[in-house]
Amino acid sequence: MMLKDSFTELGAFETLRKVSAIGYNAVEISQIPMTAENVAELDRARTELGMDMAALSVALEKPVGRPGDSLRDDFGKIVDDAKRLDSKLLRIGMLPFPAMKSIGAVIDFAKEANGYAERLQEHGIALYYHNHHIEFAKFDGKYMLDIIAENSPSMGMEIDVHWVQRGGLDPVRTINKYADRTAMVHLKDYRIGEMPEAAFGMLQTGDFAGFMQEFKNVVQFAEVGEGNLDFPSIIPAAQAAGAEYLLVEQDELYGRTVWDALQTSHDNLVAMGHADLF
């Protein structure tokens, strides 16, 4: 997802050559059109660069206005792409927007996803669900994520530690809770940024609502090690939980280049004593 602009500009192979040069040896494919050309370049990166295609992204239905294959319409193609790229993990990156309207719709989504998870298992492929913060809303005392898990026993979890924190829970305890079904963990930090200078100009002009909006927006995504999350505890917990991949991700960069951000996360992980992850 972080590299989609580079994929458009440089192509898949040259983008992943730069990723490899930083030191990363696995990527998750998200928000990238799985065209014949892109799949071929990903396959080339796998064979020539040794880049591991950790997981491919899928949706239940065609996402409006975004690239992606759907399990409903492209099941055979998804399986073929995964086998060609030796990707044994698929992941659903977000609860479908229509499913957010009610807990009943969430349960319908989970049950349908579970059916596809069972079909994928027949091909040696596992399906996982990636959380944001909305899944930690409570219904009759239960978190939505628990309700999804209960109604999709064949689907695993991809735990995103930033979104867990933003949802008000502890990342380590959440990883431990889903240890028996978590194959991937997203590493991105949770930073409280500085109030922008423009916000104080809003105060001077009486735009208190504008100032408060900036106040709310100080919560930021951050490079690993540049925020407040306890990665020295998170990473061992993820490893103990059996996670196969720890994937660096950053939804927004706040003016930095993607290459600078990836380098910072890499260097900070090495400085923490985790050079063995690369």
Side-chain angles (χ1 to χ4, degrees):
M1 176 274 291
M2 295 177 68
L3 298 162
K4 59 188 176 183
D5 291 340
S6 182
F7 269 58
T8 300
E9 179 184 353
L10 302 178
F13 181 81
E14 290 303 325
T15 295
L16 294 185
R17 188 202 297 274
K18 294 184 70 172
V19 171
S20 179
I22 294 174
Y24 295 97
N25 55 36
V27 291
E28 177 183 86
I29 306 302
S30 177
Q31 300 184 31
I32 303 299
M34 293 298 281
T35 60
E37 179 182 4
N38 276 343
V39 172
E41 288 207 25
L42 292 172
D43 193 27
R44 182 185 170 201
R46 185 175 68 86
T47 56
E48 294 186 21
L49 302 174
M51 186 63 67
D52 186 351
M53 303 300 155
L56 307 182
S57 296
V58 296
L60 287 190
E61 57 188 24
K62 294 282 188 184
V64 178
R66 292 183 294 151
D69 295 326
S70 77
L71 289 166
R72 289 178 185 169
D73 299 329
D74 308 291
F75 187 87
K77 178 185 179 299
I78 288 169
V79 169
D80 290 343
D81 288 345
K83 289 184 176 179
R84 179 175 180 181
L85 299 174
D86 196 27
S87 298
K88 295 180 174 59
L89 310 179
L90 300 180
R91 42 90 68 177
I92 295 174
M94 177 176 278
L95 187 69
F97 295 141
M100 297 179 187
K101 64 184 178 183
S102 69
I103 194 60
V106 170
I107 292 171
D108 289 343
F109 154 76
K111 289 182 175 178
E112 183 177 3
N114 191 67
Y116 285 114
E118 291 175 348
R119 288 179 60 189
L120 288 164
Q121 286 175 354
E122 298 173 3
H123 298 275
I125 300 169
L127 181 64
Y128 294 83
Y129 178 78
H130 169 274
N131 69 278
H132 288 80
H133 55 358
I134 192 171
E135 292 87 356
F136 298 106
K138 282 186 176 180
F139 297 85
D140 295 327
K142 278 188 177 180
Y143 293 119
M144 183 194 294
L145 192 61
D146 290 333
I147 295 170
I148 292 172
E150 289 172 3
N151 287 278
S152 57
S154 295
M155 180 168 65
M157 294 290 167
E158 178 180 51
I159 299 299
D160 186 307
V161 296
H162 172 98
W163 285 112
V164 169
Q165 184 74 36
R166 196 175 284 216
L169 277 75
D170 174 64
V172 170
R173 291 178 66 183
T174 302
I175 290 169
N176 291 341
K177 180 177 183 178
Y178 292 106
D180 61 335
R181 59 192 300 176
T182 298
M184 295 171 284
V185 173
H186 273 190
L187 304 182
K188 59 170 169 266
D189 220 329
Y190 182 105
R191 176 173 57 211
I192 303 301
E194 296 181 8
M195 289 287 289
E197 185 66 31
F200 300 98
M202 294 174 186
L203 275 183
Q204 293 175 349
T205 61
D207 183 7
F208 186 68
F211 176 86
M212 288 307 298
Q213 187 61 43
E214 294 295 342
F215 178 79
K216 294 174 183 176
N217 287 341
V218 296
V219 174
Q220 296 181 354
F221 306 97
E223 299 82 0
V224 176
E226 296 296 312
N228 296 335
L229 293 188
D230 182 11
F231 283 102
S233 297
I234 288 171
I235 292 172
Q239 292 173 316
E244 298 177 44
Y245 295 98
L246 307 182
L247 297 156
V248 169
E249 184 188 48
Q250 191 173 340
D251 298 45
E252 296 181 38
L253 301 174
Y254 311 101
R256 299 197 77 198
T257 72
V258 67
W259 308 112
D260 287 341
L262 286 173
Q263 187 72 58
T264 296
S265 288
H266 172 276
D267 293 350
N268 286 348
L269 283 165
V270 171
M272 292 177 198
H274 295 295
D276 59 311
L277 294 178
F278 297 96

